[in-house]
Amino acid sequence: MSRHIVESQQFSPHNLIKLFKLIKTLEYHQKTFGIQEHCLKGKIIATLFYQPSTRTRLSFESAIMRLGGQVLTTENAKEFSSAAKGETIEDTVRVIGQYADAIIIRHYEEGTVARAAAVSPVPIINAGDGPGQHPTQALLDAYTIYKHFGNVSNLKIQFVGDLANGRTVRSLVYFMAKFPRNYFIFVSPKSLRMKNDILEYLKVHHWRYQETTKIQTEGIDVTYATRIQEQCFADPEDFKQVFGTYIIDNKIANKLPEKSIIMHPLPRVNEIMLEVDSNPRAKYFEQAGNGPYVRMAILKQIFAEHPFLFKREEN
Ligand code: CP
């Protein structure tokens, strides 16, 4: 059984709910007793990051340490690993796979993590691959929704911002489309629309969605804001045209239903004003705080004798 985590589509809804329950238990134990079983004792996990990160790398490393494992890390692998000398990802993981028991990779190119998984002797975890996917972020996003609403179905979710390049949105849509009666609203400038592969996926699976250029407030359960990413624009003028298109302030936040939540994978630039931080709908810091528990659960499953997470079931 392969224990790689490459894309959201690989998980079944049944196993996701089981995972959420495991995360909840780990979170409760950590917050209540401050201790965890040391299921990673004797394990070394490598974090290989070719792009900057605060939350993903550090929350993975925190999770590893809390479970008794040790970390090998290169946080600027594009410059400071032998990739700078032209080494392929395949050769890199074949070697690191002999130094570590699992490898967590963030890369700037879509598909690189899948290439690594195809040859790696140890489990590979996708920590974000270019504009492709970021499945562990989506897991913590889905868990945040699950904790707040008590379920992950029958929700009206709007995604706001750069939907063309936002890998967290792509992964989260795949997850939320596994659960019944969710409705998707994609809010973006025309130049940053959600890509056709996701829209096709939703059409084929008979999901209802809407594309618009305006933030919605009526009946919305989840507003998921994203950053417009400067590095994704070849021409700085194109970036200037769309930067600041969507800024959520308290005027907008207070029009959302009381039970509604505002999320963001972070880092934010100007998408959500600081005044919203104390709005009861703001969930983004709690969302980031869920990261270590979600990643503890994933690692626990990867090294479990009989993991449920990787069992192939009907999606
Ligand atoms: N959300 C997220 O991936 O954050 P980092 O880039 O800081 O890891």
Side-chain angles (χ1 to χ4, degrees), residues 25-288:
T25 307
L26 290 170
E27 181 178 356
Y28 174 75
H29 282 177
Q30 185 63 44
K31 286 181 173 164
T32 313
F33 309 115
I35 46 160
Q36 292 294 341
E37 55 189 298
H38 280 181
C39 61
L40 294 194
K41 197 167 171 4
K43 302 285 184 209
I44 295 175
I45 318 290
T47 55
L48 189 57
F49 276 57
Y50 295 82
Q51 276 188 317
S53 167
T54 297
R55 279 145 290 273
T56 311
R57 189 170 66 84
L58 295 182
S59 68
F60 259 121
E61 293 184 2
S62 162
I64 294 162
M65 289 175 192
R66 287 207 194 281
L67 293 175
Q70 289 178 293
V71 176
L72 274 185
T73 188
T74 169
E75 62 179 284
N76 186 357
K78 192 174 180 185
E79 207 177 320
F80 295 129
S81 77
S82 284
K85 302 174 205 160
E87 185 170 57
T88 64
I89 192 73
E90 286 85 353
D91 284 1
T92 302
V93 298
R94 280 188 184 114
V95 174
I96 298 179
Q98 299 176 73
Y99 306 159
D101 300 292
I103 308 172
I104 300 161
I105 303 177
R106 169 169 288 186
H107 203 276
Y108 47 88
E109 229 170 58
E110 184 172 356
T112 302
V113 179
R115 277 170 49 207
V119 300
S120 175
V122 297
I124 295 286
I125 302 176
N126 183 357
D129 65 329
Q133 286 214 30
H134 192 349
T136 69
Q137 173 70 42
L139 271 175
L140 77 86
D141 297 339
Y143 176 65
T144 304
I145 294 170
Y146 173 79
K147 251 194 354 179
H148 181 79
F149 292 101
N151 63 61
V152 272
S153 44
N154 205 17
L155 297 168
K156 201 169 178 183
I157 309 162
Q158 65 174 336
F159 296 94
V160 182
D162 180 355
L163 307 185
N165 300 297
R167 59 194 174 200
T168 66
V169 168
R170 294 169 57 76
S171 287
L172 186 56
V173 171
Y174 278 125
F175 274 149
M176 297 309 286
K178 289 177 186 292
F179 297 96
R181 297 181 301 283
N182 286 324
Y183 182 76
F184 304 95
I185 302 173
F186 300 116
V187 184
S188 73
K190 287 211 160 58
S191 58
L192 297 175
R193 283 181 57 219
M194 178 54 87
K195 284 185 187 153
N196 278 336
D197 61 339
I198 297 275
L199 299 180
E200 277 306 312
Y201 178 89
L202 293 177
K203 271 185 213 156
V204 167
H205 292 87
H206 308 293
W207 285 99
R208 290 176 309 143
Y209 70 85
Q210 170 193 344
E211 289 186 276
T212 172
T213 53
K214 292 210 165 38
I215 295 182
Q216 311 289 301
T217 51
E218 183 81 28
I220 297 290
D221 295 300
V222 178
T223 297
Y224 190 100
T226 62
R227 186 165 51 100
I228 296 190
Q229 304 175 62
E230 191 170 1
Q231 77 274 13
C232 297
F233 291 80
D235 183 346
E237 282 309 310
D238 291 343
F239 171 69
K240 276 191 207 154
Q241 293 255 322
V242 288
F243 181 67
T245 307
Y246 303 109
I247 299 178
I248 298 175
D249 57 11
N250 263 338
K251 213 167 138 200
I252 296 176
N254 288 332
K255 281 190 196 151
L256 291 162
E258 270 179 32
K259 188 98 183 22
S260 156
I261 58 174
I262 300 170
M263 299 175 68
H264 192 305
L266 303 179
R268 72 172 151 184
V269 182
N270 63 350
E271 308 80 52
I272 302 176
M273 286 183 76
L274 298 185
E275 65 183 24
V276 181
D277 294 357
S278 53
N279 193 299
R281 298 166 185 83
K283 275 281 165 192
Y284 28 94
F285 290 117
E286 186 183 323
Q287 179 187 350

